[in-house]
Amino acid sequence: MSFDFPIAPPILVKDSPKPRRLGTLQEARQFAKDALALGRSPPWRDIHRRLTEANSEEDAIEAIGALRELLMDEGLLASSDSSLD
């Protein structure tokens, strides 16, 4: 089983029909994998690799921070007041 780590606060990603909540490293890994399957830009390959290879708290924090930054750069980071209902 691969290393998992909680994301606090959770990352909210703009998605349809409602924002997608990423609350763990494992959920972030799956999201990055899904993004690659959709043909996202090359930086997503690096993010996916970093999330997949994270096997310590420090690696996880750095990879999650990089994911947040990429989401912000691509306009995919939902605001914390977005509805999850």
Side-chain angles (χ1 to χ4, degrees), residues 7-47:
I7 299 174
I11 297 172
L12 298 179
V13 181
K14 291 179 183 176
D15 203 359
S16 184
K18 62 182 183 177
R20 184 167 171 180
R21 180 183 183 275
L22 307 178
T24 67
L25 179 60
Q26 190 59 42
E27 290 172 352
R29 285 178 180 132
Q30 185 60 52
F31 177 77
K33 182 178 178 181
D34 294 348
L36 285 175
L38 293 174
R40 292 260 184 224
S41 62
W44 283 93
R45 282 191 291 276
D46 181 56
I47 292 297

